[in-house]
Amino acid sequence: MMTTDSATLPLQSDCAQLLTASDLRRAREIFLADGHFEQFAYELGFEDEQQAIERMADALALPWIDLTAFPVNSDLVSRFPVRLIHRHGVFPLRESDGVLELAIANPFDTDAIDAAGASMQMSVVPVVVVAKELANVIKSQFGVGAETLDGLIAQKNEETDGVEVVGDLEWDESEAAEMAQQASVVRLVNDILSEAVEARASDIHLEAQPHGMKIRYRIDGVLQTQPVPNELNRFQAAIISRLKIMSKMNIAEKRVPQDGRIKLRVSGREVDIRVSMIPMHHGEGVVMRVLDKDAMSFSLKGIGMEDDTYRTFSDLIRMPHGIVLVTGPTGSGKTTTLYSSLSEIKSERNKIITTEDPIEYQLDGINQIQVNHKVGLTFAAGLRSILRHDPDVVLVGEIRDLETAENAVQASLTGHMVFSTLHTNDASGAFMRLTDMGVEPFLVSSTVEGIMAQRLVRTLCEDCREAWMPDHDDVPADFPIDEITRNRAIYRPRGCRSCRGTGYRGRLGIYELLVTDEKIRQLASEKTSSNQIKKAAVAAGMKTLRDDGWRKVANGLTSIDEVLRVTKSD
């Protein structure tokens, strides 16, 4: 077999563990069975799949590379048959003097090597790569679902493709419904959903544009456009119809907004997807909120609170009565904070009832009510009924109007602990917001025990973050550079395989906790401005959102740019 000059590929150091002939036979069996190498890596005690690939390639006298660090040759890709890429799972790297270097995850697939050589009329050098990295490169070049559109991928699981809809689906005999149930359309929608779950996306946006459909995933709070093949546009109507069937919407209705829900199992994981469709100028736009139950754990200690903030907030939520509010814009983690609070205080000795719109996650040991405006079950009506069920703790999903606010105040005055959310920019603004709704200032000041304002920032990828000693000109004016960098460096993003080149992986909260002391109560009852209340709270020791953000930067958890993205200067 032809070999490649080691200077032309980023080959690594000599291997410490050589594979035997029996090891290679086992590797071949695994590739023939499912095409994945994780099990082989586990059996032989390798650190990860990458290390196992290196050892196998060396045993076969083949080169191997880190595909994430290898540039794509667009000209070569445009000349290479797309059908071979999808059918065999290969990707052309480069050519020279009649020799084609071909990335391949399964080096035992001689058919793929022969097919590539025959098609390109070249000698082929297989270069071993990690299967997931190869799949990511193919998706980045041809788009999500491209293999389905071409109809050329090997059908390893024709029925579900790793995605299973929980519950029965119903559809009529219309042409749109029949098209939506075609195997290729079903698989294409499954590709879009499973790729979003794999990428840890919180939302999927399907946007109707003048020249076709645009797909974007919100990952770690930031929208990222996904490459899609041009042929996808022909299936736009069928994709929308398929999603309507899955979410139990009216497939024939295209003039009014519709909402629905899909329950899936993706590779064994339970996932709930909330679906919203709105008629747009160029077609129906779809936004899907992905609720991955297996990826969620509700713990106050795990959402990014500093120790002092955690201790104070923990005391607040254990008070016998009063109101605790969590404020912030949509997508700032308010529901997670409240669920984590309830999970921390629930016990056999208290009864907790929530009223939510919608119920995002089902919590064991907590009674949850779904708001239904069509039948008059609003937050206010639900709260009135809840109080007749002898609760100790009540959660109201959101205080939106005067009636709900007054009911929450009355519940706290009658000996209940009330949690809720409010849309304000900071903690001090909550007093003015409730007063503007029409609640008497003295009632607000006497019942609100604490307000938590929060935002979410992306956390730096631990595999690639780099140390940095900034100058004064490199940081904003309010960044305490002399205090923070006196004895240590801070970190900034770089980008690697683990974080998909973004430099960030995951999110955590930054918090501003205002505790209502006597001074704050007096100012709130006098309808003092939010700025005056904030100054009094800071004087009493409150850390603002910006302050807490700088603490996260100092601890190496996030970057200066992230704090600037979600907060404004105090």
Side-chain angles (χ1 to χ4, degrees), residues 86-131:
H86 295 316
R87 177 178 295 166
H88 294 289
V90 296
F91 195 82
L93 296 174
R94 60 190 173 195
E95 59 176 328
S96 178
D97 298 328
V99 176
L100 172 68
E101 293 171 0
L102 186 72
I104 188 169
N106 180 2
F108 303 103
D109 188 357
T110 55
D111 290 342
I113 299 170
D114 293 341
S119 178
M120 296 295 287
Q121 295 296 302
M122 294 181 183
S123 298
V124 175
V125 175
V127 180
V128 188
V129 298
V130 174

Side-chain angles (χ1 to χ4, degrees), residues 408-460:
V409 168
Q410 290 302 318
S412 69
L413 291 173
T414 54
H416 302 88
M417 192 66 205
V418 180
F419 297 120
S420 191
T421 68
L422 204 61
H423 284 287
T424 60
N425 290 326
D426 56 15
S428 59
F431 296 104
M432 186 65 69
R433 181 81 180 93
L434 290 172
T435 302
D436 289 343
M437 285 183 183
V439 184
E440 292 294 336
F442 76 91
L443 289 175
V444 175
S445 63
S446 61
T447 56
V448 176
E449 299 294 340
I451 305 160
M452 175 79 86
Q454 66 180 73
R455 300 290 189 276
L456 292 177
V457 294
R458 291 181 292 173
T459 51
L460 289 165

Side-chain angles (χ1 to χ4, degrees), residues 192 204-206 213-217 224-226 228 232:
I192 294 171
I204 307 169
H205 293 242
L206 306 184
M213 179 178 284
K214 184 178 185 180
I215 298 180
R216 295 196 288 175
Y217 296 157
Q224 299 181 17
T225 301
Q226 303 301 304
V228 295
L232 182 80

